């Protein structure tokens, strides 16, 4: 009979790793941003994140799992082994030390940073980009990243003092989308905006006090063009230098009595409005004046 561990590459050290095992200690340090930046690595926990990370070749450096989780998700352990990624059994206590959730699911991957230079991202011709300018909340940032991926965006730019995209909460909130989309870190938000404009994207800044209504832009066909959306922090919004650099300052219409939308909800409305416009058939006119869809 085949043993549960057969077919996956396991570390040669006998017995599961404990919280004091040097490799577990080293991986646990990646919960701190300073250590993530220094090592160029981060942690992705749970089977969904691990699955998406393994699907991106060269991303996963090591896979930790409890014996029960490695048996339950044997397909992921096998995929790691095929990619020559070490699979290390750990105790429940060691797994708990590597995770930040109350009820971890038994798997944690050590992954390489995924940063893409802005020049490379725009060279791919994205038609939709989200720029997170100074957004500090990792849950909001990860949710916007997930929404941008779902809406078909080509890149998400973490600009200025934005949260680290490899923060554990941000990684979890992205639900695997971190591994699907170009992640750009840009120190200078204004320079990033100018680079996106130079690449042919229209720049829309979101603000509750915008002089352009999102529905009006959609009705006028102004969303049917490659677009970069600028989103600011929920507490402080976008700085004036960025709203001033945009082609339009856009507000999401509120039809009920709510004072505002939170950042993630507003971003979803804007990104999906653009996604719909970009995918709508263009209307052309023949010589007889009759309209036709192309």
């Amino acid at each position: 009979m085949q043993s549960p561990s057969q077919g996956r590459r396991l570390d040669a050290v006998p017995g599961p790793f404990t919280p004091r095992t040097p490799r577990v200690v080293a991986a646990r340090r990646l919960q701190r941003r300073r250590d993530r930046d220094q090592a160029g690595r981060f942690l992705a926990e749970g089977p969904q994140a691990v699955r998406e990370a393994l699907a991106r070749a060269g991303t996963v450096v090591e896979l930790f799992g409890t014996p029960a989780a490695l048996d339950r998700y044997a397909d992921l352990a096998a995929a790691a082994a095929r990619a020559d990624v070490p699979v290390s059994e750990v105790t429940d206590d060691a797994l708990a030390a590597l995770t930040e959730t109350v009820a971890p699911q038994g798997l944690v991957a050590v992954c390489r940073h995924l940063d893409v230079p802005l020049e490379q991202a725009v060279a791919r011709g994205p038609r939709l980009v989200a720029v997170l300018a100074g957004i500090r909340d990792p849950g909001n940032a990860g949710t916007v990243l997930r929404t941008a991926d779902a809406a078909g965006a080509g890149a998400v730019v973490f600009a200025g003092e934005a949260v680290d995209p490899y923060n554990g909460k941000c990684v979890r909130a992205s639900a695997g989308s971190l591994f699907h989309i170009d992640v750009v870190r840009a120190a200078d938000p204004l320079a990033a905006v100018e680079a996106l404009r130079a690449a042919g994207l229209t720049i829309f800044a979101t603000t509750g006090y915008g002089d352009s209504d999102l529905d009006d832009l959609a009705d006028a066909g102004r969303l049917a063009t490659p677009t970069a959306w600028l989103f600011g922090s929920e507490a402080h919004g976008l700085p004036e230098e960025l709203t001033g650099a945009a082609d339009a300052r856009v507000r999401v219409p509120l039809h009920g009595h709510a004072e505002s939308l939170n950042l993630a909800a507003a971003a979803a409305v804007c990104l999906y409005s653009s996604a719909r416009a970009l995918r709508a058939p263009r209307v052309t006119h023949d010589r007889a004046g009759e309209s036709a869809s192309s």
Side-chain angles (χ1 to χ4, degrees):
M1 179 181 292
Q2 187 181 42
S3 67
S5 63
Q6 189 172 345
R8 64 177 182 253
R9 176 184 164 187
L10 295 174
D11 193 274
V13 178
F17 289 173
T18 72
R20 295 186 178 183
T21 302
R23 275 161 56 184
V24 174
V25 172
R28 188 178 184 183
R29 292 195 187 102
L30 299 177
Q31 293 172 345
R32 298 191 295 262
R33 181 169 187 169
R34 178 186 62 191
D35 291 283
R36 289 195 297 270
D37 287 342
Q38 184 175 354
R41 296 180 179 183
F42 68 101
L43 300 178
E45 64 174 275
Q48 173 65 18
V50 169
R51 189 180 307 279
E52 302 306 323
L54 286 169
R56 185 162 174 164
T59 296
V60 179
V61 176
E62 182 167 11
L63 178 62
F64 295 103
T66 63
L70 291 174
D71 286 340
R72 181 176 181 181
Y73 303 107
D75 60 323
L76 298 181
R82 288 194 298 270
D84 202 29
V85 171
V87 178
S88 302
E89 288 188 347
V90 297
T91 63
D92 289 342
D93 287 345
L95 195 283
L98 292 172
T99 61
E100 299 173 332
T101 53
V102 175
Q105 295 178 279
L107 295 179
V108 175
V110 178
C111 302
R112 292 185 175 88
H113 276 187
L114 306 168
D115 295 6
V116 173
L118 181 59
E119 297 77 11
Q120 181 179 331
V122 298
R124 293 175 179 166
R127 303 184 72 201
L128 186 58
V129 173
V131 180
L132 310 185
I135 293 176
R136 304 303 297 271
D137 182 87
N140 267 338
T143 300
V144 174
L145 196 159
R146 179 181 183 180
T147 302
D149 177 28
V156 174
V157 181
F158 288 72
E161 297 298 319
V163 66
D164 177 15
Y166 307 114
N167 172 287
K169 187 174 182 180
C170 185
V171 175
R172 292 192 300 276
S174 80
S177 287
L178 178 70
F179 303 102
H180 301 161
I181 195 168
D182 283 348
V183 174
V184 177
R185 290 199 277 184
D188 186 339
L190 193 57
V193 167
E194 293 308 321
L196 291 166
R197 176 179 284 111
L201 282 82
T202 299
I203 312 298
F204 289 144
T206 56
T207 170
Y209 304 99
D211 47 20
S212 297
D213 181 283
L214 178 66
D215 287 347
D216 292 341
L217 291 178
D219 292 343
R222 292 185 62 189
L223 300 183
T225 182
T227 297
W229 282 99
L230 310 185
F231 303 109
S233 73
E234 199 160 297
H236 305 292
L238 288 166
E240 290 184 6
E241 65 175 1
L242 289 182
T243 57
D247 296 300
R249 289 155 293 283
V250 184
R251 67 182 184 277
V252 175
L254 300 174
H255 303 298
H257 300 293
E259 179 185 7
S260 63
L261 292 173
N262 70 16
L263 169 65
V269 172
C270 294
L271 291 167
Y272 266 89
S273 292
S274 282
R276 183 184 183 205
L278 288 167
R279 285 161 176 75
R282 291 176 298 175
V283 177
T284 59
H285 296 273
D286 59 22
R287 292 182 179 180
E290 296 178 352
S291 62
S293 296
S294 60

